[in-house]
PDB file of all heavy atoms in Angstrom:
ATOM      1  N   ASP A 287       0.364   4.896  14.459  1.00 94.00           N
ATOM      2  CA  ASP A 287       0.414   3.437  14.507  1.00 94.00           C
ATOM      3  C   ASP A 287      -0.970   2.806  14.497  1.00 94.00           C
ATOM      4  O   ASP A 287      -1.089   1.586  14.349  1.00 94.00           O
ATOM      5  CB  ASP A 287       1.166   2.970  15.765  1.00 94.00           C
ATOM      6  CG  ASP A 287       2.639   3.326  15.706  1.00 94.00           C
ATOM      7  OD1 ASP A 287       3.240   3.175  14.637  1.00 94.00           O
ATOM      8  OD2 ASP A 287       3.181   3.765  16.745  1.00 94.00           O
ATOM      9  N   HIS A 288      -2.014   3.604  14.665  1.00 93.00           N
ATOM     10  CA  HIS A 288      -3.379   3.063  14.716  1.00 93.00           C
ATOM     11  C   HIS A 288      -4.311   3.995  13.935  1.00 93.00           C
ATOM     12  O   HIS A 288      -5.169   4.668  14.504  1.00 93.00           O
ATOM     13  CB  HIS A 288      -3.860   2.919  16.169  1.00 93.00           C
ATOM     14  CG  HIS A 288      -3.022   1.981  16.982  1.00 93.00           C
ATOM     15  ND1 HIS A 288      -1.938   2.400  17.719  1.00 93.00           N
ATOM     16  CD2 HIS A 288      -3.092   0.638  17.141  1.00 93.00           C
ATOM     17  CE1 HIS A 288      -1.386   1.353  18.315  1.00 93.00           C
ATOM     18  NE2 HIS A 288      -2.064   0.283  17.978  1.00 93.00           N
ATOM     19  N   VAL A 289      -4.126   4.024  12.634  1.00 95.00           N
ATOM     20  CA  VAL A 289      -4.934   4.885  11.768  1.00 95.00           C
ATOM     21  C   VAL A 289      -6.137   4.086  11.274  1.00 95.00           C
ATOM     22  O   VAL A 289      -5.969   3.003  10.699  1.00 95.00           O
ATOM     23  CB  VAL A 289      -4.112   5.383  10.561  1.00 95.00           C
ATOM     24  CG1 VAL A 289      -4.925   6.372   9.739  1.00 95.00           C
ATOM     25  CG2 VAL A 289      -2.808   6.021  11.029  1.00 95.00           C
ATOM     26  N   ARG A 290      -7.335   4.610  11.498  1.00 94.00           N
ATOM     27  CA  ARG A 290      -8.538   3.897  11.086  1.00 94.00           C
ATOM     28  C   ARG A 290      -9.533   4.864  10.441  1.00 94.00           C
ATOM     29  O   ARG A 290      -9.573   6.057  10.759  1.00 94.00           O
ATOM     30  CB  ARG A 290      -9.200   3.205  12.277  1.00 94.00           C
ATOM     31  CG  ARG A 290      -8.299   2.167  12.936  1.00 94.00           C
ATOM     32  CD  ARG A 290      -9.100   1.220  13.802  1.00 94.00           C
ATOM     33  NE  ARG A 290      -8.209   0.252  14.445  1.00 94.00           N
ATOM     34  CZ  ARG A 290      -7.785  -0.867  13.868  1.00 94.00           C
ATOM     35  NH1 ARG A 290      -8.161  -1.140  12.631  1.00 94.00           N
ATOM     36  NH2 ARG A 290      -6.992  -1.702  14.515  1.00 94.00           N
ATOM     37  N   ALA A 291     -10.345   4.299   9.559  1.00 96.00           N
ATOM     38  CA  ALA A 291     -11.436   5.073   8.972  1.00 96.00           C
ATOM     39  C   ALA A 291     -12.502   5.336  10.032  1.00 96.00           C
ATOM     40  O   ALA A 291     -12.632   4.591  11.003  1.00 96.00           O
ATOM     41  CB  ALA A 291     -12.044   4.313   7.798  1.00 96.00           C
ATOM     42  N   THR A 292     -13.266   6.391   9.832  1.00 94.00           N
ATOM     43  CA  THR A 292     -14.392   6.700  10.717  1.00 94.00           C
ATOM     44  C   THR A 292     -15.696   6.598   9.919  1.00 94.00           C
ATOM     45  O   THR A 292     -15.700   6.606   8.688  1.00 94.00           O
ATOM     46  CB  THR A 292     -14.276   8.118  11.298  1.00 94.00           C
ATOM     47  OG1 THR A 292     -14.425   9.075  10.233  1.00 94.00           O
ATOM     48  CG2 THR A 292     -12.931   8.320  11.987  1.00 94.00           C
ATOM     49  N   THR A 293     -16.814   6.535  10.652  1.00 93.00           N
ATOM     50  CA  THR A 293     -18.120   6.468  10.004  1.00 93.00           C
ATOM     51  C   THR A 293     -18.363   7.683   9.125  1.00 93.00           C
ATOM     52  O   THR A 293     -18.899   7.569   8.012  1.00 93.00           O
ATOM     53  CB  THR A 293     -19.226   6.357  11.067  1.00 93.00           C
ATOM     54  OG1 THR A 293     -19.070   5.121  11.773  1.00 93.00           O
ATOM     55  CG2 THR A 293     -20.604   6.385  10.429  1.00 93.00           C
ATOM     56  N   ASP A 294     -17.975   8.862   9.578  1.00 94.00           N
ATOM     57  CA  ASP A 294     -18.167  10.079   8.786  1.00 94.00           C
ATOM     58  C   ASP A 294     -17.417   9.997   7.460  1.00 94.00           C
ATOM     59  O   ASP A 294     -17.938  10.400   6.410  1.00 94.00           O
ATOM     60  CB  ASP A 294     -17.691  11.307   9.571  1.00 94.00           C
ATOM     61  CG  ASP A 294     -18.644  11.691  10.683  1.00 94.00           C
ATOM     62  OD1 ASP A 294     -19.775  11.166  10.698  1.00 94.00           O
ATOM     63  OD2 ASP A 294     -18.265  12.513  11.539  1.00 94.00           O
ATOM     64  N   GLU A 295     -16.185   9.496   7.499  1.00 96.00           N
ATOM     65  CA  GLU A 295     -15.390   9.395   6.272  1.00 96.00           C
ATOM     66  C   GLU A 295     -16.005   8.396   5.296  1.00 96.00           C
ATOM     67  O   GLU A 295     -16.036   8.627   4.079  1.00 96.00           O
ATOM     68  CB  GLU A 295     -13.958   8.989   6.614  1.00 96.00           C
ATOM     69  CG  GLU A 295     -13.192  10.077   7.347  1.00 96.00           C
ATOM     70  CD  GLU A 295     -11.900   9.566   7.960  1.00 96.00           C
ATOM     71  OE1 GLU A 295     -11.840   8.378   8.345  1.00 96.00           O
ATOM     72  OE2 GLU A 295     -10.943  10.365   8.068  1.00 96.00           O
TER      73      GLU A 295
END
Side-chain angles (χ1 to χ4, degrees):
D287 292 318
H288 299 91
V289 185
R290 299 198 181 276
T292 67
T293 296
D294 286 347
E295 291 167 329

